[in-house]
């Protein structure tokens, strides 16, 4: 449709029809017998009203979405097509590693490939808009949705966010071609910083911290062309995002020039009443609309109250038209007026879903996402002449996708056992060792009533239980083996939405298994499955080798065994610090020095910014990850150590200097190392972080090969959000590091003269 035709269509709509365009209903309302978690089918809404909705949420498949679309368009007075939206977080049916695991790849091309794959499969199923990527910066492992983020660094999240939007939408700003979907980034904003790491809790952030750390990745994705933005559930400094005009209009529209569609999170308009900022749904609708929300996701409020609010003069019809036109333009960009079904097609969905290319891409992503934390005695790679016991509930499990892979199916997945079984040249034995526990195994301590129990005395002796048969069998296998590989960790339901934990230990029954196995064999490799960083102290104490496998998805078994056997090398780097214990949370590498920094060498705690019972450093820092290869990085060299001139703090083009270092593979094993560039503004008008990631390069090297890793330093890499909320670039000395992780001391300095 042309702009003129869109305007004519808009002009032909009644007030009510416009309000319906701004309302999204859950798909089960259209499929009486279907359900999505927790959605009661609302029988008050008539078929005719459902047909007027502008969009719906969740897609069952191409046939279902085509049927719904046809049925509703036939009933719609103007035959306007609906948008079909759903969560496509890290793959559709071919499920990739979680976004946090993809952050560990430090490979934006891999992340783009993941979303390109997801777009191909989901569009064929009938999806027009993916509620993805989630770009919330995370520093607190207690929060369950850290699994959905690419981590704790604004630069890494920005690079990955751009790549994922490209993967979904392609590169054409004017249309969403076949095999692609629109991207709805989320959750705007700062949903990842809830107080106490507790889900949906308030976020207390200064404007400076918000702008410096939490907003950049959303902005980068919008610059990349994301079509939609989803406002977050929670309050920022007491204001719910769905009612936050400063966020949704002043920043998103006026400062960033976003012209796309803003949608709330699930029922977030209705939740304004729970927040206590609206007396009822009508007032909540007014608040949200005035704040800048275009589409009401499933509060079923806008279609009921916006017409009244316009008739009462509280909202002008012109304001309403602006929002409706955004929705019509998005439908037009997707080509729905010409082809309302877009790519929804039975044949296509069978061709692309889980196709060999997609599985191969997922398998490669798994191998790039694994992080080798330590490898004492080089227990890895596994040797063909060794007897190797594969033990743990994750040996057989096919539940390798996260709680946020609604279309992922365990039966599609390749388990560790199946992948190992394909390696006939190795001698493996198997034992589960203990049952897999799900989230309710943790829940018992989450119920409010247990507070009373926790207060009560309890003199019942904890009688030592006889080791159960599963554990005894596992110990037997371990005793007979040269090496043990333990596959343990959180179950997929222990992270994700509404899965905050106050304790980030592995499930107790699995730690018991590790303890038992360690009694009979100390050559243990522990592979940790998790949605979040966990407390790995005991795992490290009892294992000589430790690997982070995250939740690896459909090709998990293949990808893991590819790396454990050395067919692939480790290259993953931590996108989020692994704390010593939950007491360190929230923790991130880019902290401020404070007036009493703890001496990292003398490590003296007294009267320093430190704990007396725990180190300041995480167990494993951001950017850390080992390899079968070893690398040497030369001292940093600069094209100049003095720069003169005044520069625009937002300038990303001007090259002030080039920092470089020579990287050498000093081992006999080909490998990839992600070389990282960090910068610190030594003295500024605000206390600045001890260092900040400002660049990274994946460098592939053959044994003995050397290559120079170079980074151009631009003004924007040195600037920061000043006290007045604007970016500033201040003259002075800067420290620059080039290394393999955020604790590298390979550094030099340069000075920026302001004149
Ligand atoms: C959920 C999530 C959001 C998701 C939406 C629709 O509660 O917070 O990420 O896109 O509802 O499923």
């Amino acid at each position: 449709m042309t702009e003129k035709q869109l305007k004519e269509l808009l002009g032909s709509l009644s007030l009510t029809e416009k309000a319906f365009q701004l309302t999204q209903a859950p798909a089960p309302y259209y499929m009486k017998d279907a359900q999505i978690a927790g959605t009661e089918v609302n029988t008050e809404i008539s078929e005719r009203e459902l047909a007027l909705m502008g969009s719906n949420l969740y897609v069952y498949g191409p046939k279902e979405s085509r049927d719904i679309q046809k049925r509703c368009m036939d009933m719609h007075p103007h035959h306007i097509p609906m948008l079909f939206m759903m969560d496509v977080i890290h793959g559709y049916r071919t499920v990739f590693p979680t976004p946090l695991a993809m952050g560990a790849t430090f490979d934006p091309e891999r992340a783009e490939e993941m979303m390109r794959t997801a777009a191909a499969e989901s569009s064929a199923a009938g999806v027009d808009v993916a509620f993805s990527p989630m770009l919330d910066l995370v520093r607190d492992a207690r929060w369950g949705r850290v699994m959905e983020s690419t981590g704790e660094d604004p630069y890494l999240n920005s690079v990955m966010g751009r790549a994922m939007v490209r993967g979904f939408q392609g590169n054409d700003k004017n249309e969403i071609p076949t095999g692609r979907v629109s991207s709805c980034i989320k959750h705007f904003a700062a949903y990842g910083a809830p107080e106490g790491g507790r889900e949906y809790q308030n976020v207390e952030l200064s404007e400076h911290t918000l702008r410096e750390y939490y907003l950049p990745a959303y902005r980068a994705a919008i610059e990349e062309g994301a079509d939609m933005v989803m406002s977050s559930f929670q309050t920022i400094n007491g204001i719910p995002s769905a009612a936050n005009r400063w966020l949704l209009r002043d920043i998103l529209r006026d400062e960033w020039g976003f012209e796309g569609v803003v949608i709330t999170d699930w029922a977030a308009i209705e939740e304004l009443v729970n927040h206590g900022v609206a007396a009822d749904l009508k007032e909540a609708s007014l608040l949200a609309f005035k704040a800048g929300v275009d589409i009401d996701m499933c509060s079923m409020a806008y279609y009921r109250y916006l017409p009244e609010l316009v008739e009462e003069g509280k909202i002008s019809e012109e304001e309403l038209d602006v929002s409706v036109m955004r929705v019509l333009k998005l439908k037009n960009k997707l080509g729905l007026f010409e082809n309302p079904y877009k790519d929804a097609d039975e044949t296509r969905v069978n061709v692309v879903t889980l196709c060999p290319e997609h599985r191969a891409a997922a398998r490669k992503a798994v191998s790039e996402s694994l992080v080798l934390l330590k490898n004492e005695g080089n227990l890895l790679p596994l040797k063909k002449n060794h007897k190797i016991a594969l033990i743990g509930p994750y040996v057989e499990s096919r539940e390798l996708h996260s709680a946020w892979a609604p279309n992922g199916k365990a039966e599609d997945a390749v388990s560790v056992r199946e992948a190992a079984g394909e390696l006939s040249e190795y001698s493996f034995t198997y034992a589960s060792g203990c049952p897999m526990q799900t989230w309710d195994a943790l829940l018992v301590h989450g119920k409010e009533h247990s507070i009373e129990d926790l207060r009560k005395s309890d003199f019942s002796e904890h009688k030592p239980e006889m080791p159960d048969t599963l554990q005894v069998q596992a110990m037997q296998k371990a005793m007979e083996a040269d090496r043990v590989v333990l596959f343990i960790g959180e179950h997929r339901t222990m992270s994700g939405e509404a899965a905050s934990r106050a304790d980030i230990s592995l499930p107790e029954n699995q730690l018991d298994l590790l303890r038992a196995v360690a009694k009979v064999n100390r050559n243990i490799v522990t592979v940790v499955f998790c949605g979040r960083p966990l407390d790995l102290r005991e795992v490290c104490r009892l294992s000589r080798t430790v690997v982070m496998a995250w939740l690896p998805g459909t090709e998990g078994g293949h990808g893991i065994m590819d790396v454990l056997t050395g067919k692939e090398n480790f290259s993953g780097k931590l996108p989020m610090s692994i704390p010593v214990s939950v007491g360190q949370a929230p923790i991130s590498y880019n902290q401020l020095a404070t007036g009493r920094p703890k001496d990292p060498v003398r490590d003296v705690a007294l009267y320093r910014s430190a704990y007396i019972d725990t180190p300041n450093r995480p167990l494993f820092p951001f950017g850390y990850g080992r390899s079968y290869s070893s690398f040497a990085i030369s001292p940093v060299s600069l094209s100049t150590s003095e720069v003169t001139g005044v520069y625009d703090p937002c300038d990303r083009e001007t090259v002030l200097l080039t920092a470089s270092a020579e990287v050498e593979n000093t081992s006999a094993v080909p490998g990839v190392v992600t070389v990282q560039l960090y910068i610190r503004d030594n003295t500024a008008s605000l206390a600045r972080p001890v260092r900040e990631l400002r660049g990274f390069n994946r460098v592939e090297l053959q044994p003995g090969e050397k290559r120079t890793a170079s980074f151009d330093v631009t003004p924007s890499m040195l600037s920061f959000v000043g006290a007045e909320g604007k970016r500033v670039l201040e003259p002075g000395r800067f420290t620059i590091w080039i290394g393999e992780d955020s604790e590298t001391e390979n550094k030099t300095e340069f000075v920026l003269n302001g004149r």
Side-chain angles (χ1 to χ4, degrees):
M1 267 193 172
T2 63
E3 184 95 11
K4 181 170 178 295
Q5 288 170 318
L6 286 176
K7 284 180 179 160
E8 284 163 3
L9 173 59
L10 178 63
S12 70
L13 298 182
S14 69
L15 209 44
T16 299
E17 287 161 350
K18 289 176 182 176
F20 270 101
Q21 281 301 306
L22 304 182
T23 310
Q24 178 171 96
Y29 288 12
Y30 297 85
M31 311 253 301
K32 291 301 175 225
D33 54 347
Q35 274 301 310
I36 43 177
T39 308
E40 296 304 318
V41 176
N42 181 332
T43 50
E44 292 162 25
I45 301 179
S46 69
E47 288 282 325
R48 188 191 68 79
E49 290 174 319
L50 285 173
L52 292 173
M53 297 288 174
S55 59
N56 70 60
L57 196 169
Y58 200 80
V59 163
Y60 293 91
K63 183 181 178 322
E64 293 82 354
S65 50
R66 293 177 74 96
D67 289 352
I68 292 170
Q69 187 74 296
K70 176 159 183 5
R71 191 167 76 234
C72 294
M73 284 181 69
D74 288 349
M75 291 168 72
H76 195 292
H78 303 274
H79 311 297
I80 299 177
M82 269 195 289
L83 288 162
F84 288 74
M85 305 191 192
M86 80 171 290
D87 298 285
V88 184
I89 307 300
H90 50 107
Y92 185 70
R93 274 293 294 281
T94 306
V95 180
F96 280 65
T98 57
L100 191 61
M102 294 306 287
T105 68
F106 275 72
D107 187 349
E109 288 174 18
R110 196 66 62 198
E112 182 172 347
E113 181 181 52
M114 166 171 75
M115 295 316 193
R116 189 170 56 245
T117 302
E121 293 188 0
S122 60
S123 61
V127 175
D128 298 315
V129 180
F131 293 135
S132 184
M134 181 267 228
L135 295 171
D136 306 329
L137 184 128
V138 292
R139 295 173 164 172
D140 194 330
R142 292 173 294 180
W143 191 50
R145 298 188 78 164
V146 300
M147 50 67 62
E148 205 178 334
S149 166
T150 47
E152 71 185 49
D153 181 75
Y155 176 75
L156 175 62
N157 292 350
S158 299
V159 171
M160 300 304 256
R162 288 179 184 276
M164 292 190 277
V165 168
R166 284 196 304 273
F168 276 129
Q169 299 190 175
N171 296 311
D172 186 330
K173 303 290 188 215
N174 301 313
E175 67 157 351
I176 300 294
T178 301
R180 303 286 187 159
V181 296
S182 279
S183 163
C184 175
I185 66 170
K186 63 190 184 181
H187 306 79
F188 195 64
Y191 178 30
E195 288 176 325
R198 205 178 88 204
E199 184 62 284
Y200 312 125
Q201 184 50 281
N202 180 50
V203 163
E204 199 68 30
L205 288 176
S206 67
E207 180 175 346
H208 166 77
T209 300
L210 187 66
R211 288 180 177 276
E212 186 71 26
Y213 301 100
Y214 290 88
L215 295 186
Y218 304 118
R219 182 169 196 173
I222 285 165
E223 286 174 356
E224 204 62 32
D227 284 326
M228 287 185 66
V229 170
M230 182 188 298
S231 62
S232 58
F233 283 123
Q234 96 296 339
T235 51
I236 298 180
N237 308 333
I239 303 174
S241 297
N244 192 328
R245 185 190 183 88
W246 175 71
L247 210 53
L248 301 182
R249 288 189 188 276
D250 299 355
I251 292 183
L252 193 57
R253 302 282 185 198
D254 301 347
E255 279 186 38
W256 296 359
F258 179 62
E259 295 180 344
V261 176
V262 172
I263 187 171
T264 68
D265 202 336
W266 180 281
I269 291 178
E270 185 178 0
E271 290 184 6
L272 294 180
V273 179
N274 301 339
H275 280 293
V277 298
D280 54 37
L281 205 47
K282 180 175 178 182
E283 186 182 351
S285 301
L286 177 59
L287 261 179
F289 189 83
K290 285 294 188 183
V293 169
D294 296 314
I295 296 180
D296 156 18
M297 180 196 287
C298 303
S299 289
M300 312 317 286
Y302 268 12
Y303 82 92
R304 289 162 61 187
Y305 297 108
L306 289 188
E308 277 177 48
L309 291 165
V310 171
E311 279 150 9
E312 292 165 7
K314 291 176 181 162
I315 295 173
S316 71
E317 186 150 7
E318 292 68 30
E319 285 176 289
L320 198 65
D321 287 354
V322 170
S323 289
V324 177
M325 180 54 90
R326 289 185 186 127
V327 174
L328 296 179
K329 280 183 175 178
L330 178 57
K331 294 183 178 185
N332 204 38
K333 182 176 180 184
L334 284 152
L336 299 185
F337 290 107
E338 289 73 34
N339 172 11
Y341 310 115
K342 195 171 179 303
D343 304 336
D345 179 278
E346 293 277 353
T347 308
R348 179 196 300 276
V349 80
N350 294 329
V351 167
V352 299
T353 300
L354 291 164
C355 64
E357 295 76 18
H358 290 180
R359 280 189 177 270
R363 180 169 182 164
K364 183 65 182 162
V366 174
S367 62
E368 282 193 10
S369 69
L370 303 183
V371 182
L372 179 60
L373 297 179
K374 65 169 192 169
N375 191 21
E376 294 163 12
N378 294 323
L379 295 194
L380 289 180
L382 298 176
K383 310 276 187 302
K384 293 175 184 171
N385 62 340
H386 279 159
K387 191 162 189 181
I388 303 162
L390 306 185
I391 294 173
Y394 267 106
V395 171
E396 305 281 351
S397 175
R398 286 199 179 126
E399 286 192 84
L400 303 176
H401 52 284
S402 80
W404 241 152
N407 300 82
K409 297 183 188 311
E411 63 260 24
D412 298 335
V414 177
S415 68
V416 165
R417 170 100 192 228
E418 284 158 333
E422 294 169 6
L423 303 169
S424 52
E425 64 276 35
Y426 287 85
S427 131
F428 293 130
T429 60
Y430 306 93
S432 65
C434 68
M436 180 80 84
Q437 294 178 328
T438 55
W439 70 291
D440 46 348
L442 307 175
L443 188 64
V444 68
H445 302 297
K447 287 190 185 116
E448 287 313 305
H449 80 265
S450 75
I451 294 298
E452 304 312 322
D453 295 346
L454 291 174
R455 290 174 180 167
K456 277 190 193 123
S457 59
D458 172 3
F459 300 106
S460 60
E461 282 305 309
H462 175 69
K463 295 177 185 51
E465 291 142 22
M466 283 303 291
D468 64 24
T469 45
L470 284 179
Q471 196 176 92
V472 170
Q473 287 164 357
M475 291 172 76
Q476 187 65 43
K477 301 285 188 199
M479 265 191 285
E480 296 156 2
D482 301 304
R483 296 281 185 272
V484 174
V485 186
L486 216 50
F487 297 88
I488 56 177
E490 281 185 328
H491 185 257
R492 56 191 287 271
T493 56
M494 294 177 178
S495 60
E497 184 172 354
S500 288
R501 294 181 63 195
D503 175 343
I504 56 173
S505 306
L506 276 84
E508 191 59 24
N509 71 329
Q510 295 181 46
L511 288 174
D512 282 341
L513 175 63
L514 168 60
R515 294 163 191 144
V517 167
K519 287 193 177 83
V520 296
N521 193 322
R522 289 314 305 262
N523 289 324
I524 297 174
V525 173
T526 296
V527 178
V528 181
F529 293 74
C530 53
R532 54 160 58 84
L534 296 175
D535 180 337
L536 297 180
R537 282 175 293 178
E538 189 163 13
V539 167
C540 286
R541 191 163 50 78
L542 297 178
S543 317
R544 298 180 68 194
T545 296
V546 180
V547 174
M548 286 292 272
W550 316 104
L551 292 169
T554 306
E555 281 293 317
H558 278 148
I560 289 171
M561 293 313 289
D562 286 347
V563 178
L564 296 191
T565 57
K567 179 181 173 217
E568 296 283 355
N569 195 344
F570 286 99
S571 61
K573 296 285 188 179
L574 290 176
M576 190 175 174
S577 308
I578 296 182
V580 166
S581 72
V582 71
Q584 285 186 327
I587 184 172
S588 62
Y589 79 94
N590 50 359
Q591 297 187 338
L592 302 187
T594 80
R596 295 191 179 193
K598 186 175 180 185
D599 180 333
V601 178
R602 290 176 53 239
D603 217 14
V604 171
L606 209 51
Y607 300 112
R608 315 305 296 178
S609 173
Y611 309 96
I612 57 174
D613 59 356
T614 295
N616 280 3
R617 291 174 62 196
L619 193 61
F620 296 100
F622 173 83
Y624 181 91
R626 311 287 296 274
S627 163
Y628 292 138
S629 310
S630 55
F631 303 96
I633 297 183
S634 74
V636 180
S637 71
L638 301 178
S639 55
T640 175
S641 59
E642 187 157 354
V643 178
T644 300
V646 177
Y647 299 92
D648 173 354
C650 297
D651 177 350
R652 296 181 197 162
E653 306 306 324
T654 305
V655 177
L656 302 177
L657 60 95
T658 299
S660 53
E662 190 170 71
V663 187
E664 180 184 4
N665 181 344
T666 55
S667 73
V669 181
V672 171
V673 59
T674 295
V675 180
Q676 299 152 46
L677 173 82
Y678 294 91
I679 296 179
R680 177 182 189 180
D681 186 342
N682 296 6
T683 310
S685 56
L686 285 180
R688 304 292 299 127
V690 293
R691 67 176 83 191
E692 295 179 283
L693 182 73
R694 284 291 182 262
F696 57 86
N697 276 331
R698 282 171 57 87
V699 181
E700 186 165 357
L701 294 169
Q702 292 305 313
E705 185 182 2
K706 292 180 183 178
R707 193 166 314 158
T708 300
S710 290
F711 300 90
D712 290 339
V713 177
T714 64
S716 71
M717 292 163 68
L718 306 180
S719 67
F720 61 95
V721 177
E724 288 69 41
K726 297 276 180 278
R727 292 202 75 78
V728 295
L729 173 53
E730 298 176 349
R733 299 197 71 77
F734 292 80
T735 305
I736 203 160
W737 293 262
I738 294 180
E740 294 187 56
D741 61 51
S742 60
E743 293 187 341
T744 178
E745 279 312 319
N746 187 32
K747 63 184 177 182
T748 187
E749 290 195 351
F750 68 90
V751 66
L752 172 66
N753 297 318
R755 54 190 183 287

